[in-house]
Amino acid sequence: MRTTTKTLFSASKTVVSASSHLLRLYVTGTTAGSIRAIQQVRRVCDEHLEGRYDLEVIDIYQLPALAKNDQIIATPTLVKVLPAPLRRLIGDLSNLDSVLFGMDIRERA
Amino acid sequence: MRPTPKSVASRSRKIKEIPTSLSLEKAPSGIAGLDEITGGGLPRGRPTLVCGSAGCGKTLFAMEFLVRGAVEHGEPGVFMSFEETEEELAINVASLGFDVRQMVKRKQLAIDHVRVERNEIEETGAFDLEGLFVRLRLAIESVGAKRVALDTIESLFSSLPNPAILRSELRRLFRWLKDQGMTTVITGEQGVGTFTRQGLEEYISDCVIFLDHRVNDQISTRRLRVVKYRGTTHGSNEYPFLIDETGISVLPITSLRLDHKASSERVPTGIERLDEMLGGGYFKGTTILCSGSAGTGKTSIAAHLVRAACAKGERCLFFAFEESSAQLLRNMGSIGIDLGCYIANGSLDLVASRPYAQGLEMHLLSIHKAVTQREPALVVIDPVSNLVGSGSQLGSNSMLTRLLDFLKNRGITTLFTSLTEGGADTEQTSVGISSLIDTWLVLDVVRGGGERNHTLDIVKSRGMAHSNQTTEYRISDQGVLLLDTYLGPSGVLTGSARLAREAADRAQVALQEEEIARQQALRGIRRNAFDGRLATLQGEFAVEDAELDRDIQERIRQRDGAPAARAAMARSRQAFARAPGAGHGKHNGKHGGKGHRT
């Protein structure tokens, strides 16, 4: 299946109750960085948080007001709202160690 | 293809048009004075870097640029703050009279506070600043902005990782803002040896303005310098600027011209006899210096001038650097000059401040501002010597020259008082501005006979015949009174010496009058005596005259009577007798007589 933003978006809208992780990924359309970030966050979530996460992917090109509300500067940014503390993972999430640390899945190596 | 003559003509016309269409368009900043330095404002549609150390007024500069743009030039703006929240900004600039919240409501201004917490950030790979772009675009579209301020975008370097990405992204941001046609002000903190910490001046090459806040001799002065402004001429000096309740004001005297108009209209000095000495008063629009040592009445002479001007309904500005307004009013009231009523009717403004409250440049800037606002016909600065003490000696002269130039160009009559230090030559002003002065009154103290007495000299008065007389004056409850002049062996007599001389003069006059009366009496007596003697002589003469006359008549009678008697005798003897009167009759007669006798 060809990867499009739309399919990625709909695929990521998996809502699972009693999730331990509340995540918001802010991307900018279908740039290479956005696509990499979306794929990466899905992989990590599937591997480490199966069924325990709530992920929202937001295209700030379409919803610019949200960028202001959530203080987004850099893109892509993955905001880990829960569990506390709030953390912003900046970049395309290609550095897996940083991602796992940032998402409170693993201690820093 | 060879161009036809027509196309050549049209091309040459096009070439001629190019300079105007290419010339840099400028967006008025609205900041007082800055547009004069930059020849019209900031480069339109381009970024301008405003840099300086902490507390130099960068944020205010950026905010005023937006507020004035929106209010005065109809160009809405976006303020993107990286340091302060909307609330803080609104409060900070409210003291300058900007109601930011109201402007946001009216869609004249959009404020976006960018908050980045370093401890929340985890770098996980390559990123860009599209988030910032999106927010800016949203804000720009929400108000239809023409102006953007980024304050202070460099703080991103401390809160986001990977400076390399940041640099390229900022470069892209500035490019993007340029493409959007946004006139942008970007503020930056001064770095060591660079204008900004992150070297933003590399990316913003159109216009760089440097703000400085420096302390000399414990007095701080703010200065502004246009470091570069590509594609236009600009004033390159450091210009002092002021932040007060109306925002930023820059003192923009770029050229010291000498082309002010000269009026022959006279301004009465308010002191009758001084008017006479000057042949009718000062010239309108000239500069008058009144110098003297302490307590010589410099302020009083200034007050006379102010009263005279206010009485004519002219507007006056009095800058007092020694006394508070209340003190000045009381003191002038005590010598019979009531200035309070002119303050009440609005023709006089008293501005009192301590010279050490701020640097000379700041004082001059406040004077500049007050003059621009009030447009007075007369300005008094009392005393200018104190003012100079508050600045560096080096710059004070040129600053005063600028001030004088400014006042003269506006045709404002200016009176400076200047304190001469005790013992110094009275014709040596500490200010050293005498060459700029048109009329110079020197008030001096003559000590002697256990007194201090005041004298006034007109050292110079350009363009008018004036008295060369050193005149004594007295400060009475009627103000300054110029007194009659008495010259003694060692110059002008003053005080008791003058009084003694006046008394002696009066005695002398009385004596003279007595002498005249005596002489006149003597003259009467002499005339009477003469008249008496004359009468006697006339009497004697008359007697003698009468006697002599009688004698003469007798002799005439005798002479005329002799021939007649002889004829009668001859007739009686019947002898021949010739008629008398013939030439030789007498002779013949004699002969005859003799003959008769012989």
Side-chain angles (χ1 to χ4, degrees):
Chain A
M1 192 181 75
R2 196 171 145 264
T3 312
T4 64
T5 333
K6 203 175 173 188
T7 55
L8 282 168
F9 280 9
S10 53
S12 62
K13 278 184 181 169
T14 326
V15 181
V16 180
S17 57
S19 55
S20 63
H21 279 65
L22 177 56
L23 306 168
R24 271 189 225 125
L25 178 63
Y26 291 86
V27 294
T28 47
T30 54
T31 56
S34 301
I35 290 164
R36 263 202 308 279
I38 292 167
Q39 286 172 337
Q40 190 74 358
V41 74
R42 285 202 60 202
R43 217 185 81 201
V44 169
C45 287
D46 287 346
E47 280 178 20
H48 299 276
L49 303 167
E50 180 63 60
R52 290 181 287 119
Y53 71 95
D54 187 354
L55 174 68
E56 203 179 339
V57 178
I58 297 155
D59 181 4
I60 57 170
Y61 284 164
Q62 290 169 32
L63 297 163
L66 293 182
K68 187 179 174 183
N69 288 353
D70 226 342
Q71 284 293 350
I72 302 303
I73 291 289
T75 46
T77 294
L78 177 65
V79 180
K80 184 203 71 173
V81 186
L82 284 174
L86 185 137
R87 193 167 283 142
R88 295 162 194 275
L89 280 67
I90 283 173
D92 59 8
L93 308 176
S94 54
N95 183 340
L96 199 59
D97 282 341
S98 301
V99 174
L100 293 178
F101 167 73
M103 287 173 71
D104 287 334
I105 293 167
R106 191 195 289 169
E107 288 298 304
R108 196 181 286 279
Chain B
M1 194 184 79
R2 280 176 60 188
T4 63
K6 196 182 170 187
S7 75
V8 167
S10 70
R11 189 181 293 169
S12 70
R13 203 163 39 242
K14 251 184 192 165
I15 287 167
K16 268 180 197 164
E17 283 166 6
I18 281 171
T20 52
S21 60
L22 268 188
S23 72
L24 192 66
E25 212 185 318
K26 291 178 185 176
S29 66
I31 293 169
L34 181 65
D35 294 348
E36 291 172 45
I37 297 170
T38 54
L42 304 181
R44 185 179 290 284
R46 298 184 185 203
T48 295
L49 179 65
V50 176
C51 48
S53 55
C56 69
K58 299 183 294 289
T59 303
L60 184 69
F61 185 106
M63 187 49 104
E64 190 167 352
F65 164 72
L66 293 186
V67 169
R68 302 258 181 232
V71 173
E72 291 166 17
H73 304 288
E75 294 187 1
V78 169
F79 193 97
M80 192 159 246
S81 166
F82 294 83
E83 286 173 341
E84 291 168 292
T85 64
E86 287 177 38
E87 282 296 299
E88 286 166 342
L89 272 175
I91 292 166
N92 291 353
V93 300
S95 62
L96 305 169
F98 305 149
D99 188 351
V100 167
R101 275 177 235 180
Q102 193 62 36
M103 293 185 68
V104 170
K105 261 187 213 159
R106 287 203 214 108
K107 293 227 173 251
Q108 290 176 311
L109 188 67
I111 298 179
D112 190 357
H113 172 225
V114 176
R115 187 176 56 85
V116 187
E117 298 284 344
R118 183 70 183 94
N119 57 354
E120 287 177 4
I121 304 284
E122 181 71 32
E123 191 196 0
T124 64
F127 63 92
D128 54 34
L129 291 182
E130 269 301 306
L132 190 66
F133 282 72
V134 165
R135 288 169 72 169
L136 253 178
R137 191 180 296 127
L138 175 71
I140 288 169
E141 282 167 4
S142 72
V143 293
K146 296 270 186 289
R147 299 179 175 207
V148 172
L150 304 174
D151 177 58
T152 304
I153 200 160
E154 271 183 314
S155 63
L156 286 182
F157 282 92
S158 60
S159 46
L160 288 179
N162 208 330
I165 290 181
L166 282 177
R167 277 176 196 287
S168 69
E169 282 297 285
L170 286 188
R171 193 189 294 265
R172 189 163 71 92
L173 177 69
F174 300 150
R175 182 74 246 166
W176 179 78
L177 283 167
K178 225 169 170 172
D179 292 342
Q180 301 292 310
M182 292 295 140
T183 311
T184 311
V185 166
I186 295 147
T187 64
E189 193 89 6
Q190 187 184 4
V192 181
T194 54
F195 286 114
T196 59
R197 281 196 187 144
Q198 303 299 333
L200 289 183
E201 59 269 24
E202 283 175 43
Y203 314 129
I204 307 160
S205 48
D206 293 297
C207 183
V208 177
I209 292 172
F210 185 67
L211 305 180
D212 189 14
H213 191 197
R214 107 179 53 135
V215 176
N216 276 337
D217 296 332
Q218 301 166 29
I219 289 167
S220 82
T221 308
R222 296 175 190 275
R223 291 167 204 266
L224 176 148
R225 182 160 69 98
V226 180
V227 179
K228 75 172 178 185
Y229 197 149
R230 189 169 280 182
T232 184
T233 55
H234 59 86
S236 55
N237 297 339
E238 279 194 319
Y239 302 92
F241 73 95
L242 191 67
I243 297 176
D244 64 7
E245 63 279 359
T246 58
I248 294 177
S249 315
V250 187
L251 189 66
I253 301 166
T254 46
S255 63
L256 296 174
R257 291 166 308 185
L258 259 179
D259 55 2
H260 45 261
K261 285 182 193 139
S263 168
S264 53
E265 196 185 319
R266 298 288 187 132
V267 178
T269 63
I271 304 168
E272 203 181 325
R273 285 196 167 184
L274 189 56
D275 281 347
E276 278 172 35
M277 288 176 74
L278 290 166
Y282 311 119
F283 275 127
K284 186 178 168 58
T286 57
T287 312
I288 303 129
L289 176 67
C290 183
S291 71
S293 52
T296 46
K298 299 179 291 294
T299 307
S300 309
I301 285 183
H304 271 287
L305 177 61
V306 167
R307 182 173 63 175
C310 285
K312 282 200 299 178
E314 284 177 345
R315 199 168 255 199
C316 299
L317 254 175
F318 195 114
F319 294 94
F321 293 108
E322 261 177 354
E323 298 170 288
S324 72
S325 319
Q327 194 187 345
L328 191 73
L329 289 179
R330 184 203 65 194
N331 293 352
M332 291 305 111
S334 75
I335 60 164
I337 301 173
D338 177 20
L339 296 179
C341 61
Y342 297 117
I343 292 182
N345 75 14
S347 52
L348 172 64
D349 275 292
L350 263 176
V351 183
S353 61
R354 274 279 165 215
Y356 291 93
Q358 46 189 354
L360 172 68
E361 293 88 346
M362 295 293 113
H363 277 300
L364 295 184
L365 190 52
S366 355
I367 292 170
H368 205 277
K369 247 184 108 167
V371 167
T372 312
Q373 277 172 5
R374 299 274 307 162
E375 297 183 340
L378 172 71
V379 169
V380 175
I381 295 173
D382 178 44
V384 77
S385 42
N386 269 17
L387 208 54
V388 171
S390 66
S392 65
Q393 198 61 44
L394 190 72
S396 58
N397 237 359
S398 72
M399 293 307 293
L400 278 173
T401 312
R402 289 174 183 194
L403 180 68
L404 284 182
D405 200 55
F406 164 72
L407 292 170
K408 270 199 171 172
N409 273 326
R410 287 178 165 252
I412 297 169
T413 314
T414 314
L415 188 141
F416 292 109
T417 67
S418 176
L419 178 70
T420 312
E421 294 300 329
D425 183 3
T426 50
E427 299 196 7
Q428 189 78 51
T429 51
S430 59
V431 184
I433 52 167
S434 54
S435 65
L436 307 167
I437 297 294
D438 297 306
T439 300
W440 187 5
L441 308 178
V442 167
L443 308 181
D444 207 352
V445 171
V446 176
R447 257 184 285 187
E451 303 174 337
R452 291 170 68 92
N453 294 305
H454 300 311
T455 60
L456 180 148
D457 281 289
I458 301 172
V459 176
K460 70 168 175 185
S461 195
R462 285 179 181 154
M464 60 174 85
H466 55 272
S467 170
N468 61 355
Q469 179 68 59
T470 300
T471 311
E472 188 187 0
Y473 64 93
R474 205 154 50 81
I475 300 172
S476 68
D477 56 2
Q478 300 295 312
V480 174
L481 291 179
L482 267 58
L483 305 171
D484 293 330
T485 306
Y486 283 88
L487 288 173
S490 58
V492 171
L493 293 179
T494 58
S496 300
R498 177 179 50 78
L499 292 177
R501 179 62 186 270
E502 277 178 327
D505 272 6
R506 275 194 300 275
Q508 187 73 31
V509 167
L511 204 66
Q512 296 279 7
E513 277 173 1
E514 242 171 66
E515 185 67 15
I516 288 166
R518 199 173 64 82
Q519 296 276 12
Q520 277 172 340
L522 189 63
R523 185 176 175 224
I525 292 164
R526 287 256 168 90
R527 174 160 284 281
N528 286 346
F530 168 76
D531 285 349
R533 278 163 67 187
L534 188 66
T536 314
L537 279 172
Q538 272 174 340
E540 283 173 8
F541 174 75
V543 172
E544 278 172 31
D545 192 49
E547 273 172 19
L548 282 170
D549 188 51
R550 208 165 46 240
D551 206 26
I552 290 164
Q553 293 301 325
E554 183 60 26
R555 283 177 191 276
I556 289 171
R557 250 192 328 274
Q558 283 175 4
R559 184 197 64 194
D560 291 346
R566 252 195 329 267
M569 223 180 284
R571 223 173 10 252
S572 66
R573 289 175 196 157
Q574 293 183 328
F576 174 77
R578 286 216 317 227
H584 39 117
K586 203 174 181 179
H587 187 79
N588 288 347
K590 265 185 183 171
H591 274 284
K594 271 177 189 171
H596 281 292
R597 272 178 213 156
T598 50

